[in-house]
């Protein structure tokens, strides 16, 4: 049997576009840009990170950047999406863990997030929170995108709190959506303060206060 592929037979349609291997290299380079961009923006703001710095870190020529993204703003929105997807998976990993009670799931997420900040000496925080602090200097599409990410996190947290209410861990009259919004407003502030102080105390203080507020005591 001939080793020539069917597509090479006379009269067979030829594949158009880049070869699969080239497409894979392009996709891999785009992922490297996103990973490096996310890492830099969790430590610094969007305005403080230059394209040359990101491109140099991953070895992508500046001229090639616009093959992947139309502008720095488009790149920034792609970073928000990438971070949101990563963080949603993290929340699901903890909040859907049925081996733990609902409030234990929330505590486990907090411990994991605390350990993540400690791993980078509290220099890295939350990409969404960082961008929210400079929203007045960002293009308009960022506002809705960031608000949407927070809304998603709050919805996932509200589901976990609803499970806690069903399990009798929190007051049966609790408004889980309101508590979830309160959690993320406070947690983002604690993350910012932890970066400022380069230590875990703000995270621990907020967590202790939040659980003291919501835990049901017969």
């Amino acid at each position: 049997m001939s080793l020539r592929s069917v597509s090479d037979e006379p009269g067979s349609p030829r594949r158009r576009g880049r070869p699969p291997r080239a497409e894979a290299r392009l996709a891999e380079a785009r992922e490297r840009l996103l990973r490096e961009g996310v890492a830099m923006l969790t430590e610094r703001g969007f305005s403080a990170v230059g394209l040359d710095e990101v491109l140099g870190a991953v070895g992508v020529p500046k001229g090639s950047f616009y093959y992947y993204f139309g502008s720095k703003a488009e790149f920034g929105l792609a970073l928000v999406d990438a971070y949101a997807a990563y963080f949603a998976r993290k929340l699901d990993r903890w909040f859907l863990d049925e081996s733990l009670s609902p409030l234990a799931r929330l505590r486990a997420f907090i411990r994991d997030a605390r350990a993540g900040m400690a791993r980078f000496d509290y220099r890295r925080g939350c990409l969404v929170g960082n961008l929210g602090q400079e929203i007045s200097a960002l293009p308009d599409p960022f506002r809705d995108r960031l608000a949407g990410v927070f809304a998603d996190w709050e919805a996932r947290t509200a589901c976990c709190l609803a499970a806690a209410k069903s399990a009798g861990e929190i007051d049966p009259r609790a408004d889980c959506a309101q508590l979830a919004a309160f959690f993320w407003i406070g947690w983002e502030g604690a993350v910012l303060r932890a970066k400022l102080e380069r230590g875990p105390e703000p995270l621990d203080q907020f967590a202790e206060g939040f659980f003291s507020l919501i835990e049901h005591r017969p």
Side-chain angles (χ1 to χ4, degrees), residues 86 90 93-94 107-124 187 191 194 199-200 203-204:
Y86 151 78
K90 178 190 285 285
R93 185 169 72 248
W94 294 116
R107 290 182 185 277
F109 160 72
I110 290 172
R111 285 196 300 271
D112 181 60
R114 185 184 188 276
M117 290 196 73
R119 189 160 55 249
F120 295 101
D121 195 27
Y122 299 93
R123 294 178 183 275
R124 293 186 184 180
W187 179 253
V191 168
L203 305 176
D204 296 339

Side-chain angles (χ1 to χ4, degrees), residues 117-181:
M117 290 196 73
R119 189 160 55 249
F120 295 101
D121 195 27
Y122 299 93
R123 294 178 183 275
R124 293 186 184 180
C126 173
L127 181 147
V128 175
N130 288 353
L131 292 179
Q133 292 176 64
E134 54 178 328
I135 193 62
S136 61
L138 298 177
D140 289 340
F142 278 82
R143 187 178 302 276
D144 288 342
R145 195 72 61 90
L146 295 173
V149 175
F150 278 129
D152 177 69
W153 295 353
E154 289 171 9
R156 294 171 192 271
T157 307
C159 287
C160 184
L161 292 171
K165 183 162 70 170
S166 296
E169 292 187 300
I170 65 177
D171 193 313
R173 298 165 297 178
D175 184 328
C176 294
Q178 188 175 56
L179 285 177

Side-chain angles (χ1 to χ4, degrees), residues 87-104:
F87 213 86
R89 292 192 298 271
K90 178 190 285 285
L91 291 177
D92 284 348
R93 185 169 72 248
W94 294 116
F95 290 175
L96 302 180
D97 183 357
E98 295 187 354
S99 70
L100 301 173
S101 73
L103 284 190

